[in-house]
Amino acid sequence: MSTYDWIVVGAGITGSALSYELAKKGFKVLLLDPNPLSDSATRYSYGGLAYWSGTTELTRTLCEEGRQRHLILSEELGINTELRELDLILPFNSPDDREILTQKYRYFATPPKFITIQEACELEPLLNPNAISGAFTVRHGQISPEHLNTGYIQGFKRWGGTLILDQVLQINPIGNQAVNVTTRLGQYQAEKIAICAGGFSRQLLKNAGISIPIYFTHTEILETPPVDLKLRTIVMSAAMERFQLEAKATQRDLERLWEKPGHELTPFILDKSAAQLLDGRIRMGQPSRALSDVNAAVNLLESETLIRQEIAKILPALANLPTTCYHCLVAFSSDSLPLMGAIANFDKIHIFSGFSNPLVFIPPLAQRFADFITGKSDPIITQLSPSRSMKSIR
Ligand SMILES: Cc1cc2nc3c(=O)[nH]c(=O)nc-3n(C[C@H](O)[C@H](O)[C@H](O)COP(=O)(O)OP(=O)(O)OC[C@H]3O[C@@H](n4cnc5c(N)ncnc54)[C@H](O)[C@@H]3O)c2cc1C
C-alpha cells in the first residue's frame, strides 16, 4: 500500500488550495475526490470576493491577505482566475430596512453605502425599480471559482502531488501513528489526513466516530448557458438571511437534531441573488435549507420555480432565460469562522472546512496552515482550531 505524508479528502476549493500549499512545502500528498468540480459548492459558486466584509481584527487581516493573494494567483498558478472588481448591489424592499441595514453594515471594514432606487438602477439597469426601496453598494471582487480550483489542482500536480479520482468511504485511525482510509477503489495510508469534503465533512467524520460542530446547508441554483444579456453587477439580497439561518440552526439546543436524519433545523430561506461569470453564464438563487441529512431529497423542479418567481421580482429579464437547476451542500460553522487543525483526541485527523467568506479566506489560510504544520507559530491558525467549538457543544 502506498503511504503519504498527507491525504486530503475533497478537491473543491478548500482541498485543492490546501493540497497545493502542502505539496509546495515538499510533503508527499494524495488528494482524493471522485468527481472534482462536478457537484461541488465551488462548481456553482458566484465567485464573489467580499474583501470589504471583515468585522474583527482577525477577519480584516484575512480579507487584506486574501486580496493580496488573489492578485498574484493567476501568475503563480499559471491560469487566468478571471479576477476583476465590480459593484455589489444589495437591494432591500421595505423603507424601514434602510436604518436597520445601515446599523448592521457599520461593523464592516468598508460599510456598503446607501444608494437610491435610481442610483441602483444606473449601476444595474436590469434591476426592477418597482420592486425595491433602495439598495446598498460596495466594490466587490470576483473570480472564476472553477478556474481557481483547476489552477490549484494543476499547480498541486506540478509540485509532485497525486490526485486519484476516488471516494473515501471510511477513515480508520491507526492508534496515534497514522491514518488509513478505505475508498471505493482500495485503501491508502498517510501520516495525517485533512478533511476538506465541504458539506460532506460532518458525515465522513461521524462515520469514523468523530463528532465535531461542522454543519451544512442544502442549496440550489439556476445556471444559464453563456448568454448575450449583461448583468453589470453582482446582486444579492441586502438582508443576507443565510447568515441568520446558520446562527439559528447551530443553537446549542438543536445540536442533537443534527445527529439524526429527517430534521429541518430551521425554516428555509431564499436570498435573491445573481451573478454572471466572464464567459457569459449567469447563476441565480439561492435557497438555503438546514436539513440534517446529507442525502435529503430535494425537489429540483420546485426549487427552479421558486427561484424564477423570486428573481422575476428584482431582475425580471433573467427570469425566463434557459437554465439548469443544480443542487449542492455548503459547509459552515457555528461562529462563521472556519475550523482548521487537528481534532482533539485524533492528532492525525485534521479539518479544514466551514468557511463563511471562503473565496477570500481560503488562499491565505491554506498558506498559513502549511506554514503552521511545518513549525511556524501562528495565532490565527491557533484561534481557528476546532477545539474552540468543541467546548461550545459539550
Ligand atoms: C450558489 C453558491 C454561490 C456562492 N457564492 C459565493 C461567493 O460569491 N463568494 C464566496 O466566497 N463563496 C460563495 N459560495 C460558497 C463557496 O463557493 C463554498 O463555500 C466553497 O466553494 C466550498 O468549498 P469546499 O471545498 O468546502 O466544498 P466543495 O466545493 O463542495 O468541495 C467538496 C469536495 O469534496 C468532495 N467529497 C465529498 N465527499 C467526499 C468523499 N467521501 N471522498 C472524497 N471526496 C469527497 C466532493 O466531491 C467535492 O468535490 C457560494 C456557494 C454556492 C453554492
Side-chain angles (χ1 to χ4, degrees):
M1 190 193 315
S2 302
T3 60
Y4 296 85
D5 296 323
W6 281 87
I7 290 174
V8 176
V9 184
I13 192 66
T14 53
S16 61
L18 184 62
S19 302
Y20 169 80
E21 298 294 351
L22 291 173
K24 210 171 134 187
K25 289 275 179 216
F27 290 108
K28 187 178 172 194
V29 183
L30 170 64
L31 175 58
L32 293 170
D33 192 315
N35 255 324
L37 280 170
S38 162
D39 262 340
S40 65
T42 308
R43 159 66 184 82
Y44 303 125
S45 173
Y46 296 164
L49 302 174
Y51 304 127
W52 48 273
S53 65
T55 52
T56 60
E57 194 185 329
L58 181 141
T59 53
R60 286 176 189 205
T61 302
L62 292 175
C63 280
E64 187 47 35
E65 281 182 19
R67 182 198 287 276
Q68 298 305 330
R69 190 89 186 100
H70 275 286
L71 284 174
I72 57 167
L73 276 172
S74 286
E75 197 185 333
E76 181 173 323
L77 300 176
I79 198 166
N80 184 0
T81 67
E82 300 189 344
L83 176 66
R84 63 173 172 157
E85 210 180 77
L86 73 182
D87 293 309
L88 173 68
I89 307 288
L90 302 158
F92 58 90
N93 60 12
S94 158
D96 297 341
D97 288 347
R98 177 176 170 179
E99 189 46 36
I100 298 168
L101 290 163
T102 304
Q103 292 308 321
K104 180 171 148 185
Y105 292 159
R106 82 192 154 104
Y107 299 103
F108 291 127
T110 309
K113 74 173 200 306
F114 171 77
I115 47 175
T116 62
I117 300 173
Q118 192 189 340
E119 286 166 330
C121 293
E122 277 162 16
L123 290 175
E124 182 47 74
L126 297 183
L127 270 179
N128 175 6
N130 301 317
I132 64 174
S133 293
F136 287 77
T137 188
V138 65
R139 294 292 282 171
H140 198 62
Q142 193 194 29
I143 43 133
S144 158
E146 291 135 297
H147 285 203
L148 180 61
N149 200 148
T150 304
Y152 269 130
I153 292 177
Q154 289 173 353
F156 163 68
K157 289 184 184 166
R158 281 196 297 274
W159 282 107
T162 306
L163 167 69
I164 297 183
L165 302 183
D166 198 357
Q167 183 184 1
V168 173
L169 302 177
Q170 185 67 40
I171 302 163
N172 316 298
I174 311 173
N176 228 355
Q177 323 299 313
V179 188
N180 167 287
V181 293
T182 308
T183 64
R184 281 209 182 281
L185 304 179
Q187 298 224 334
Y188 305 95
Q189 192 166 309
E191 195 186 318
K192 289 178 182 158
I193 188 169
I195 309 300
C196 303
F200 293 93
S201 301
R202 182 184 179 96
Q203 186 67 38
L204 204 50
L205 287 164
K206 190 176 162 196
N207 293 347
I210 301 169
S211 188
I212 70 160
I214 182 130
Y215 309 89
F216 54 89
T217 46
H218 289 255
T219 190
E220 294 86 57
I221 65 143
L222 302 186
E223 182 181 85
T224 72
V227 290
D228 291 334
L229 192 74
K230 287 282 169 272
L231 190 60
R232 284 195 201 160
T233 63
I234 294 184
V235 177
M236 204 162 281
S237 185
M240 297 188 218
E241 288 185 58
R242 177 184 160 74
F243 297 113
Q244 291 149 44
L245 173 135
E246 290 177 0
K248 281 189 203 153
T250 52
Q251 282 168 13
R252 190 186 280 232
D253 54 332
L254 297 182
E255 187 61 36
R256 70 197 158 78
L257 300 183
W258 281 100
E259 291 302 315
K260 297 191 194 102
H263 293 289
E264 180 156 23
L265 283 298
T266 179
F268 94 99
I269 58 93
L270 192 147
D271 282 320
K272 295 190 250 315
S273 54
Q276 188 165 35
L277 299 167
L278 275 182
D279 66 9
R281 285 175 298 163
I282 295 178
R283 292 179 181 159
M284 46 188 135
Q286 185 190 355
S288 295
R289 299 166 210 275
L291 306 174
S292 61
D293 185 353
V294 283
N295 298 313
V298 174
N299 185 328
L300 289 186
L301 213 58
E302 269 178 26
S303 297
E304 176 159 9
T305 307
L306 186 66
I307 296 170
R308 275 189 198 286
Q309 276 169 359
E310 292 302 308
I311 287 292
K313 293 176 189 163
I314 56 163
L315 294 162
L318 304 191
N320 292 318
L321 291 172
T323 57
T324 307
C325 186
Y326 297 103
H327 163 263
C328 65
L329 301 181
V330 182
F332 69 97
S333 74
S334 57
D335 61 4
S336 300
L337 290 171
L339 300 179
M340 56 182 58
I343 296 171
N345 303 326
F346 299 92
D347 278 7
K348 304 291 172 185
I349 305 179
H350 289 61
I351 179 94
F352 187 78
S353 191
F355 292 75
S356 275
N357 189 6
L359 298 181
V360 175
F361 287 0
I362 289 164
L365 282 173
Q367 236 181 358
R368 279 176 174 269
F369 187 88
D371 283 340
F372 182 75
I373 54 131
T374 44
K376 188 171 170 190
S377 74
D378 186 337
I380 287 191
I381 298 294
T382 311
Q383 204 176 326
L384 298 176
S385 157
S387 56
R388 75 179 192 278
S389 333
M390 297 301 290
K391 287 179 202 134
S392 70
I393 63 163
R394 275 186 197 125

